[in-house]
């Protein structure tokens, strides 16, 4: 059984890399997104099965994806310092090396679902559904409001751009998280807190179409040089973890480098929220509110724009 599964995994990965290698000239747009998303999910699943066999199925996949992303980022940084061009075939070769390393890991014999995870008690379905609808509606309205009040003017603070009632929309996801934590003591509270946190982190992107803050322009210029030439001189001792990751995402998925850089932090916030949800599920019902409080009382000023420092804060908080 083990050898058969390993053969199936190796065959699927080989087909992808052959397809990606010979299709580099035309693998753009939708095909590139689909191909690399399939590879990431496959490797995330494989790593999760091997490294986290006693976790729940969904947690294994997400943890495997996080492990894959971290290992790939380290390999890209090492290649950069070894003076490999990150514009040519080197990133694809590093992905193949990571895939070989994943295949070499031993397969677990059996899975134990939630040996150390307490069984989740389901809240009343209608209350959970109602809260979910209200939170989703508030986030959609908040995003629409921000887009309608975009500005390119240099102003001291963006809060005057938020119309009357805007702060109520901001408060709804976080209030729902508190209600869910008190009434249900479930991971649903962490999900609402995550959505509220990500919404706040996304507001500067929607308000300022040219970008928010001065640092982002400098980092995006450096990342553009790295993407266009494959090199960046003089070699900085800092920032490379974000630089190689954003340029790889842009090249592999055919995304705009500007879009990748802008949305990296809000998307990372969602991952950090997943770690909080996992923590909440492992705590006793009496202590789950403290996991949600970690997100409710974070200093959000550090998470308003993508910089290597703020990206490091999110990753460190997740760890």
């Amino acid at each position: 059984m083990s050898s058969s599964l390993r053969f199936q995994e190796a065959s699927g990965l080989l087909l992808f890399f052959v397809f990606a290698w010979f299709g580099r000239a035309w693998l753009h747009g939708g095909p590139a997104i689909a191909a690399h998303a399939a590879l990431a999910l496959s490797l995330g699943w494989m790593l999760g099965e091997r490294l986290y066999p006693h976790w729940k199925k969904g947690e294994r996949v997400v943890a495997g994806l996080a492990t894959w992303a971290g290992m790939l980022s380290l390999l890209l940084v090492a290649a950069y310092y070894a003076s490999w061009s990150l514009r040519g075939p080197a990133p694809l070769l590093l992905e193949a090396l990571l895939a070989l390393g994943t295949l070499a890991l031993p397969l677990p014999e059996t899975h134990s679902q939630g040996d150390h995870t307490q069984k989740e008690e389901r809240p009343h379905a209608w209350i959970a559904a109602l809260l979910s609808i209200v939170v989703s509606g508030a986030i959609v309205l908040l995003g629409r409001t921000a887009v309608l009040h975009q500005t390119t003017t240099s102003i001291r603070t963006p809060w005057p751009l938020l119309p009357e009632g805007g702060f109520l929309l901001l408060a709804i996801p976080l209030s729902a998280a508190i209600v869910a934590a008190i009434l249900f003591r479930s991971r649903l509270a962490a999900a609402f807190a995550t959505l509220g946190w990500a919404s706040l982190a996304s507001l500067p992107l929607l308000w300022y179409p040219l970008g928010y803050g001065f640092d982002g322009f400098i980092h995006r210029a450096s990342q553009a040089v790295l993407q266009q030439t494959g090199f960046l001189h003089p070699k900085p001792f800092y920032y490379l973890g974000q630089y190689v990751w954003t340029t790889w995402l842009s090249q592999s998925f055919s995304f705009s480098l500007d879009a990748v850089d802008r949305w990296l932090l809000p998307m990372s916030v969602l991952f950090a929220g997943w770690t909080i949800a996992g923590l909440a599920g492992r705590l006793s019902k009496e202590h789950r509110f403290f996991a949600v409080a970690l997100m409710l009382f974070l200093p959000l000023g550090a998470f308003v724009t993508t910089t290597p420092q703020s990206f490091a804060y999110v990753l460190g908080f997740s760890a």
Side-chain angles (χ1 to χ4, degrees), residues 138 182-183 190 255:
I182 294 175
L183 294 183
F255 291 149

Side-chain angles (χ1 to χ4, degrees), residues 40-41 44-45 48-49 56-66 274:
L41 288 172
W45 175 78
E49 293 290 306
K56 291 183 177 181
K57 187 173 182 179
E59 293 178 345
R60 290 200 301 267
V61 174
V62 178
L65 280 170
W274 172 83

Side-chain angles (χ1 to χ4, degrees), residues 76-94:
L76 289 170
V77 170
Y80 169 83
Y81 282 117
S83 297
W84 288 18
S85 172
L86 298 184
R87 183 172 173 78
L92 187 61
L93 293 175
L94 292 176

